[in-house]
Amino acid sequence: MADRETHKSDEQSRPGTEGRRGKLKIFLGPAPGVGKTYAMLQAAIQRAEDGRDVAVGALDTHGRPELERLVRRLENAARRAGRTTTLTMPELDVGAALARAPNLLLIDDLQLWSTPRVDHALRRHQIVERAIEAGINVFATLDVQCLESVNERIARISNVRMRDTVPDGFLELADEIELVDLPPEQLIQRLRDGKVHVADHINRSMRRFFSRRNLNALREAAMRITADRLDAQVGGGGAFSGPTRDHILVCIDETPLALKLVRTARRLAEPQHIPWTVLYVQTRRFRSLDEASKERVARSMKMAERWGAEAITLTAETGVAEEILSYAESRRFTRILVGRSRVGLWPRLLRRSVSDKLLTKTRNAEVTLVMPETPEEREGGAFPDLARGGRTLSGFAVASLAVAGALGVAHILELFMPVPNITLVFLAAVVLVAVRVGLWPSIYASFLSLLVFNFFLTEPYYTLSVTHEEDLLTIAFFLVMATLTGNLASTVRSQVEAIRRSARRIENLYDFSRRVAAAVSLDDTLWAVVSHVASTLGCRSLLLLPGENDALEIVSGYPPEDHLESVEWTAAEKAWKSAQPAGWSQPEDEGGAWLFLPLKTASGPLGLLGVAFEDQNSVLAPEQLRLLDAVADQAAVAIERTQLTTDIEEARILSETEQLRSALLSSVSHDLRTPLVSIIGSSTTLTNFGASLSEDDRRELAQTILDESQRLNRFVQNLLDMTRLGYGVLQPKRDWVELREIVGRALHDLGRATEGYEVEIRISDRIPMLYVDTVLIGQVLVNLLDNALKYTPAGGRIVIGGEIDGANAAVSVSDSGRGVPEADRAAIFDMFYRVRSGDKEARGTGLGLAICKGLVLAHGGSIEALPGPDGRGTTFRFLVPLRDLPPIPDLADDGEA
């Protein structure tokens, strides 16, 4: 592993040094009990003996004496205030520990929480991130099965899933990883001896977990992670820059040898679990290939993906071999597999094959040649590196017409300029042919132009003989320049086509991203996916998602599709279970018109994307496959995002509902209990001791029963009114009434509750009769007065006011209490919202003001909270619209009539 950090490096990463980042060392173990914590403490003690400031952060000894002895030799970082500081207490005060700022902080079991059962608790790996950002060095321990990806794999093997995990990306923060390992036999013996801490409630499952099979899988995962880390460190520079793990690159083309290459790579990689990649370099000749060759490429790459390989398609710009070498060096492949066909000497003299170039130019990888065996493989060619253009008869016909046209133009121009300059006309024809139809027709046009120029435009005319030496030189240079220019133009044409294809793919993906980003609901997202795939690829498309009992269901289609054949359902089920493409054009799958691709995310497959083409005999080009895979990935992310948004919204509603339920139960239980206690107490006293009580005492108890019953009745009425307001069924029964009459009824309903307070009524004589529901507006006044009585000290003053405000009647209730803070005045009319003011605050449901707002709004008015008179207390003011009084009918006229 990496060498021990030096004294200088420790001092450089001391906390408080501006711009410095703390270093992280992880002691990684394959399973609990291998000695990670012990190894970490020993390393920390050695640092402390060297004069470093070392502190124990979160660490649990589980009562093991050997660990407790080591911990006592180190200083504990700040523990959470008010909690025990014993060695078995894993909780840590994060803020205090960071403020303490030791040079080295010890954190055990990164996957655990810092403070269980405490709000806003952090996981320990999050504490580590904060610590190293603050410049603190950290030693930490981690079991490999607590990594998210390893946890999923081990859970499938052992059926034991760790609840607390650490993201895989966290390991990238580690400057050093030290593997702490034990053979499975020793670890199992430690478990039997009771030296491995296992919680009682998971004792049985964990003991099943400690099997040789599981431990071997965990050891392999831990070693692989450590090797990957070392590989990255070694590959980053230094004297030795080569990789430490094998990585195979398989180079295929459209020949029959491609399938053999894939099978050979699988045989090499699978036994040793070596990662491998299949690479196809697409040249401009791909468009001219027959359907069988295209299908062979697609089948080879799909077969490789099914066997666990990565399939990559690149576009050649500087030649196939150069593209392969560039890619292999950038990804640090250790072995390259390439085919070598048995060809004669003459074809090999014309052009070097890819295999020949790789053998001579590869420096840091081993090149393995796979020889053909069957006659079909031998006929496949020699992996030519020259990017060949089209060779169809139409291309050569175009070249012939272009040369004929150039001859005609040359005859016309011969009358106006010297003959040697007319060669530019033929050169232009060669360039035109190269741009339009490819390389080989342009070479044919070069030679044809040479013959035509010599036959028609040089002396002696109409012969192929040359009499002037300067004409011979002109013809020779013309042939060279025409060939070079044609080759260059053809290369530019190929690159332009590749750029256009790439631009179209990027444009399609960008358009798709905008469409799914604009989709709000799941249905909109599904429709955007199927419509985009259908319009882009010119096919039918559909989406299948799991429904009840995880059975696949067709949820969207373009055009709408609700039926699949049995063989197609079989392919869909296969794609869903294997998380690999299945159906049409896939190896080992028979029948069916649909190709199903799994929509995979980090959390697993979400569903299937199906596509069906009109021409069932065609094959998907690599460009179409890349586009389809990219769209499938984006569709999976979009669907997952929509589902997560829905889940978050449902969780928010559930949380708010739970909060409302808790608040309602709490308020109801208190506000029901208080009057009931008074009623029961008074009734019991009257029942048991009524004969011995005086008349005044009996009257007092009876009055208490009456007052508390009225109070209870008001509370129940509030609940009923709130329910009616919530369902929108409350309709005011309006009638003409005096405001003073409503105020009088409200004071009467409150009864003795106003005793001990100074209540003043200030209603303007200018206020006319109101056209309102007397009961509802009376309930508003009762609630406002009840609220004022709660918050006004005994002997305080309450003012009921009434005046005209424009076209409204303004009614106000002012108290002389402590007042409502300005920040709470808008929210105070929400259900269950109550201003917090310490332990002495008045109890209540938080429904009264919300009901007032609902009742006033039902009358077309408004309500607000304002500062009280002279800035003391609170004034609740509501407006109700004024209406003109209806005319009084003339009774005399009615009688005469």
Side-chain angles (χ1 to χ4, degrees):
M1 297 305 300
D3 294 335
R4 184 180 302 277
E5 299 175 32
T6 63
H7 175 76
K8 181 178 179 180
S9 64
D10 277 335
E11 294 300 326
Q12 286 178 343
S13 56
R14 287 280 302 171
T17 305
E18 185 177 358
R20 297 294 182 182
R21 173 186 175 275
K23 292 186 177 182
L24 171 62
K25 179 176 180 178
I26 297 178
F27 292 82
L28 182 68
V34 297
K36 304 179 302 301
T37 306
Y38 192 87
M40 179 181 70
L41 288 173
Q42 282 188 321
I45 290 173
Q46 187 172 355
R47 295 295 176 88
E49 292 175 350
D50 291 340
R52 307 294 185 271
D53 182 12
V54 181
V56 178
L59 188 145
D60 196 343
T61 64
H62 300 294
R64 292 162 59 185
E66 66 274 13
L67 292 182
E68 293 186 355
R69 285 195 297 269
L70 295 178
V71 172
R72 289 192 181 97
R73 298 173 62 181
L74 300 171
E75 177 188 350
N76 285 339
R79 299 293 182 182
R80 180 167 293 279
R83 303 302 295 257
T84 177
T85 58
T86 63
L87 297 178
T88 59
M89 184 63 225
E91 297 190 14
L92 172 68
D93 190 328
V94 179
L98 296 181
R100 162 73 173 75
N103 179 265
L104 178 61
L105 183 66
L106 307 185
I107 303 291
D108 195 25
D109 292 328
L110 287 172
Q111 76 279 4
L112 298 182
W113 292 91
S114 61
T115 54
R117 301 176 301 279
V118 177
D119 292 339
H120 309 297
L122 297 174
R123 289 192 185 274
R124 294 182 183 178
H125 71 84
Q126 295 172 317
I127 298 176
V128 170
E129 294 178 4
R130 292 189 178 186
I132 61 178
E133 288 176 0
I136 301 174
N137 300 321
V138 178
F139 278 3
T141 67
L142 178 67
D143 291 325
V144 72
Q145 78 270 16
C146 295
L147 287 172
E148 288 182 350
S149 60
V150 180
N151 183 36
E152 293 294 330
R153 187 163 66 249
I154 297 301
R156 290 193 295 268
I157 298 174
S158 64
N159 293 325
V160 176
R161 185 182 300 273
M162 304 302 294
R163 188 181 346 182
D164 298 324
T165 59
V166 175
D168 290 359
F170 179 80
L171 291 183
E172 297 179 2
L173 300 177
D175 299 278
E176 183 179 351
I177 297 178
E178 180 173 320
L179 179 63
V180 183
D181 190 20
L182 274 181
E185 293 75 13
Q186 295 184 25
L187 184 55
I188 293 173
Q189 186 60 45
R190 284 176 57 85
L191 180 68
R192 293 170 180 168
D193 296 340
K195 297 181 180 181
V196 179
H197 172 73
V198 179
D200 293 337
H201 66 284
I202 59 172
N203 190 21
R204 182 176 301 174
S205 62
M206 285 300 291
R207 290 184 183 275
R208 290 200 310 267
F209 175 78
F210 279 88
S211 66
R212 284 181 174 81
R213 176 192 178 194
N214 294 342
L215 292 178
N216 285 328
L218 289 170
R219 293 184 76 199
E220 179 186 354
M223 292 177 182
R224 187 179 297 276
I225 290 173
T226 308
D228 288 340
R229 182 67 182 182
L230 183 60
D231 188 10
Q233 292 176 347
V234 173
F240 175 70
S241 60
T244 60
R245 294 185 61 211
D246 282 340
H247 196 174
I248 299 176
L249 177 64
V250 187
C251 306
I252 67 169
D253 71 349
E254 61 278 355
T255 65
L257 197 57
L259 296 174
K260 182 180 179 181
L261 281 166
V262 173
R263 295 188 183 98
T264 302
R266 183 195 182 192
R267 286 197 301 269
L268 292 174
E270 196 170 64
Q272 303 179 37
H273 304 285
I274 299 174
W276 56 299
T277 300
V278 174
L279 175 64
Y280 173 68
V281 180
Q282 181 176 316
T283 64
R284 54 179 174 264
R285 65 174 176 168
F286 183 81
R287 292 180 177 272
S288 62
L289 294 178
D290 56 20
E291 293 298 328
S293 298
K294 293 181 180 179
E295 182 179 3
R296 195 179 295 116
V297 174
R299 183 182 177 189
S300 300
M301 301 191 75
K302 286 300 178 181
M303 182 184 296
E305 286 182 334
R306 176 170 296 184
W307 288 339
E310 181 183 14
I312 301 295
T313 301
L314 300 178
T315 301
E317 295 182 359
T318 59
V320 175
E322 286 75 10
E323 196 72 29
I324 293 174
L325 287 172
S326 175
Y327 182 76
E329 291 175 0
S330 65
R331 296 283 297 270
R332 305 201 314 275
F333 287 94
T334 59
R335 182 182 298 183
I336 301 176
L337 260 67
V338 63
R340 179 87 179 260
S341 296
R342 297 170 182 170
V343 296
L345 177 62
W346 176 248
R348 296 188 62 183
L349 292 176
L350 290 178
R351 59 180 182 271
R352 296 181 65 193
S353 66
V354 170
S355 56
D356 292 335
K357 289 187 176 182
L358 292 178
L359 284 171
T360 56
K361 294 184 178 181
T362 301
R363 295 291 180 265
N364 299 321
E366 172 188 337
V367 179
T368 300
L369 298 183
V370 177
M371 303 300 292
E373 296 179 355
T374 65
E376 182 184 12
E377 293 172 354
R378 295 190 187 98
E379 295 173 359
F383 279 82
D385 191 37
L386 185 60
R388 295 171 294 182
R391 298 186 184 181
T392 61
L393 294 177
S394 60
F396 292 102
V398 170
S400 301
L401 292 176
V403 174
L407 177 60
V409 174
H411 274 303
I412 297 175
L413 295 179
E414 188 180 12
L415 302 174
F416 305 100
M417 64 180 60
V419 172
N421 293 333
I422 295 180
T423 56
L424 298 177
V425 177
F426 293 95
L427 190 60
V430 173
V431 172
L432 179 63
V433 171
V435 171
R436 298 297 297 177
V437 293
L439 175 61
W440 287 103
S442 69
I443 295 177
Y444 164 75
S446 301
F447 283 95
L448 183 60
S449 297
L450 172 65
L451 297 176
V452 170
F453 177 74
N454 185 23
F455 189 81
F456 291 100
L457 299 176
T458 59
E459 295 179 355
Y461 296 107
Y462 309 115
T463 65
L464 295 178
S465 59
V466 179
T467 57
H468 302 289
E469 293 182 359
E470 59 271 17
D471 291 340
L472 183 61
L473 187 62
T474 299
I475 292 172
F477 273 105
F478 170 78
L479 179 60
V480 172
M481 293 305 299
T483 303
L484 293 177
T485 304
N487 192 9
L488 178 61
S490 179
T491 302
V492 171
R493 171 178 175 263
S494 176
Q495 294 178 358
V496 169
E497 288 180 353
I499 293 173
R500 286 176 178 174
R501 290 194 299 270
S502 178
R504 283 196 299 269
R505 185 173 69 254
I506 294 174
E507 183 180 358
N508 284 325
L509 294 177
Y510 175 70
D511 179 59
F512 178 64
S513 299
R514 287 191 296 112
R515 294 178 66 177
V516 297
V520 178
S521 64
L522 179 61
D523 290 339
D524 294 338
T525 302
L526 299 178
W527 177 253
V529 171
V530 295
S531 60
H532 182 83
V533 171
S535 60
T536 302
L537 298 179
C539 63
R540 293 179 292 159
S541 64
L542 56 80
L543 280 170
L544 295 89
L545 298 182
E548 297 182 0
N549 302 322
D550 289 335
L552 290 174
E553 299 176 355
I554 300 175
V555 295
S556 186
Y558 189 93
E561 184 81 35
D562 58 359
H563 175 72
L564 291 176
E565 301 296 336
S566 59
V567 65
E568 294 165 346
W569 276 115
T570 302
E573 293 289 346
K574 180 179 179 181
W576 175 247
K577 293 178 181 179
S578 64
Q580 296 292 335
W584 172 76
S585 79
Q586 295 302 298
E588 303 174 4
D589 290 342
E590 298 180 358
W594 289 88
L595 170 63
F596 297 99
L597 294 92
L599 303 177
K600 294 182 289 188
T601 64
S603 57
L606 297 178
L608 297 176
L609 171 63
V611 294
F613 295 87
E614 295 298 330
D615 186 5
Q616 293 295 304
N617 297 322
S618 63
V619 294
L620 290 176
E623 185 74 16
Q624 290 177 303
L625 288 173
R626 289 200 302 270
L627 178 60
L628 192 56
D629 290 339
V631 170
D633 292 339
Q634 286 194 346
V637 173
I639 294 173
E640 184 180 45
R641 173 185 60 81
T642 307
Q643 291 179 342
L644 287 176
T645 302
T646 303
D647 293 342
I648 291 173
E649 182 64 19
E650 291 177 353
R652 183 187 66 82
I653 294 174
L654 181 62
S655 176
E656 292 179 354
T657 303
E658 182 64 22
Q659 291 177 0
L660 290 176
R661 186 185 68 84
S662 300
L664 180 60
L665 289 176
S666 176
S667 299
V668 167
S669 62
H670 177 271
D671 280 21
L672 281 177
R673 186 183 300 113
T674 301
L676 284 175
V677 168
S678 299
I679 293 172
I680 293 172
S682 300
S683 302
T684 303
T685 302
L686 285 174
T687 302
N688 296 333
F689 307 103
S692 61
L693 296 175
S694 65
E695 184 64 26
D696 291 339
D697 290 338
R698 286 196 299 270
R699 187 180 298 107
E700 180 70 20
L701 291 173
Q703 188 62 44
T704 299
I705 294 173
L706 177 61
D707 292 343
E708 294 301 325
S709 298
Q710 290 176 343
R711 177 181 174 187
L712 184 60
N713 181 64
R714 289 196 300 271
F715 172 71
V716 174
Q717 186 63 42
N718 277 342
L719 291 178
L720 294 176
D721 290 342
M722 199 71 251
T723 303
R724 294 163 64 195
L725 286 171
Y727 283 100
V729 297
L730 187 144
Q731 296 295 331
K733 299 179 181 179
R734 303 174 188 266
D735 200 356
W736 295 100
V737 64
E738 286 279 355
L739 178 59
R740 288 182 177 82
E741 180 180 351
I742 300 176
V743 173
R745 290 182 182 178
L747 292 174
H748 178 270
D749 290 341
L750 289 171
R752 293 194 307 169
T754 59
E755 293 181 1
Y757 297 91
E758 180 184 351
V759 180
E760 181 181 354
I761 301 175
R762 297 179 182 177
I763 299 179
S764 173
D765 295 334
R766 297 177 55 230
I767 291 186
M769 296 181 69
L770 304 180
Y771 189 64
V772 296
D773 187 316
T774 306
V775 176
L776 298 184
I777 295 299
Q779 183 67 29
V780 173
L781 279 173
V782 168
N783 287 350
L784 292 179
L785 288 170
D786 184 60
N787 185 78
L789 292 171
K790 289 179 183 178
Y791 297 99
T792 300
R797 187 179 186 186
I798 298 174
V799 179
I800 303 173
E803 59 185 0
I804 296 178
D805 185 355
N808 301 298
V811 184
S812 61
V813 176
S814 303
D815 61 59
S816 54
R818 62 177 178 270
V820 178
E822 184 177 357
D824 294 323
R825 289 174 188 166
I828 200 171
F829 295 101
D830 295 339
M831 284 194 301
F832 305 116
Y833 186 89
R834 304 178 68 246
V835 178
R836 301 297 177 186
S837 58
D839 296 334
K840 296 182 179 180
E841 64 176 320
R843 296 302 302 267
T845 61
L847 289 176
L849 295 178
I851 292 173
C852 291
K853 180 179 179 181
L855 297 179
V856 171
L857 291 177
H859 283 79
S862 61
I863 188 170
E864 59 182 342
L866 302 171
D870 302 327
R872 182 183 179 187
T874 303
T875 296
F876 289 96
R877 184 171 183 264
F878 67 89
L879 305 177
V880 292
L882 292 175
R883 293 194 180 183
D884 295 334
L885 286 170
I888 300 175
D890 191 342
L891 298 180
D893 292 343
D894 290 343
E896 292 178 0

